[in-house]
Amino acid sequence: MKKMSLALLVSGCLVFAGPALAGDAAAGQDISEDCAMCHGDEGWGDEDYPGIAGMAEADFIQAMKEYQDGTREDKSMKKQVKGLSEDDLANLAAYYATLEKAADE
């Protein structure tokens, strides 16, 4: 009985965790305009801004949360991500994960 209860608990947690991790790339593209101002339309960045194209979704979300909470210090990025929701971050992460990295990366 304990094994069954534990299995149900774990399964229930996975059901709720799954959607939180899945972003909508099309929705991310729709809100990527501010990102493109610095990182470019293709997310490749330049000598002043890092490339974000092809970035793993979890890494992207973690970085954005660190800008939001001040763990990573960059006034411009903090301002850009301040109002983004969990869904916005997941959507942006999904979008940038679909883009190919620059050839020189």
Side-chain angles (χ1 to χ4, degrees):
M1 186 68 170
K2 287 183 182 181
K3 288 182 182 179
M4 181 183 228
S5 296
L6 181 60
L8 289 173
L9 177 64
V10 170
S11 297
C13 290
L14 292 175
V15 167
F16 290 109
L21 298 176
D24 179 343
Q29 183 177 13
D30 289 344
I31 61 172
S32 68
E33 186 175 308
D34 287 341
C35 305
M37 289 187 308
C38 296
H39 299 280
D41 291 335
E42 299 297 321
W44 291 352
D46 61 21
E47 61 274 352
D48 295 323
Y49 301 99
I52 54 177
M55 192 172 186
E57 291 180 55
D59 293 342
F60 183 93
I61 291 170
Q62 181 65 36
M64 297 308 106
K65 286 183 176 184
E66 289 174 359
Y67 285 121
Q68 285 179 327
D69 70 18
T71 302
R72 289 187 188 209
E73 295 183 21
D74 184 293
K75 288 180 183 181
S76 178
M77 280 300 298
K78 185 168 180 88
K79 181 180 175 184
Q80 292 300 322
V81 300
K82 181 179 180 182
L84 296 178
S85 68
E86 295 276 333
D87 285 341
D88 291 336
L89 295 178
N91 294 341
L92 285 167
Y95 170 62
Y96 283 107
T98 66
L99 300 180
E100 289 187 37
K101 292 183 177 189
D104 60 350
E105 284 189 58

